[in-house]
């Protein structure tokens, strides 16, 4: 699935196995069952990178880009203005 490597960004979070690699999957499962996982760290990472937080960060970035472009073009943009699709 696209984006897995970005989500499992550290070996302490899990292992990404290439699609269709049965031997790699088997090895990753065997490894996972033998490891002692830091469950609190995994949960913390997941909470810090939830969908809502990622979308919020992305919207903030778009607003920043809009404000920078507005400064260059001389157009006023309110920081609380909704980001639209039109």
């Amino acid at each position: 699935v696209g984006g897995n490597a970005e989500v499992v960004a550290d070996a302490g979070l899990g292992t990404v196995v290439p699609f269709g690699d049965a031997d790699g999957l088997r090895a990753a499962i065997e490894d996972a069952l033998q490891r002692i996982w830091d469950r609190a760290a995994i949960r913390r990472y997941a909470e810090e990178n939830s969908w809502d937080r990622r979308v919020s960060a992305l919207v903030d970035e778009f607003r920043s880009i809009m404000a920078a472009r507005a400064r260059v073009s001389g157009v006023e943009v309110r920081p609380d203005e909704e980001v639209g699709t039109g």
Side-chain angles (χ1 to χ4, degrees):
V1 176
N4 284 346
E6 289 78 15
V7 173
V8 184
D10 180 274
L13 300 171
T15 304
V16 176
V17 177
F19 181 78
D21 184 351
D23 291 334
L25 180 59
R26 186 177 305 107
I29 291 171
E30 289 173 1
D31 177 63
L33 292 172
Q34 299 301 315
R35 292 174 66 179
I36 298 173
W37 296 93
D38 185 344
R39 293 178 182 193
I42 294 169
R43 181 182 177 112
R44 186 171 44 256
Y45 179 83
E47 289 172 347
E48 290 171 356
N49 291 281
S50 70
W51 179 252
D52 290 339
R53 286 186 184 211
R54 293 292 101 207
V55 169
S56 179
L58 186 58
V59 168
D60 290 346
E61 187 64 27
F62 284 142
R63 286 187 175 141
S64 175
I65 292 167
M66 287 174 46
R69 292 186 79 187
R71 283 191 299 276
V72 170
S73 65
V75 175
E76 183 179 341
V77 177
R78 295 188 332 260
D80 62 338
E81 190 171 343
E82 288 294 318
V83 176
T85 58

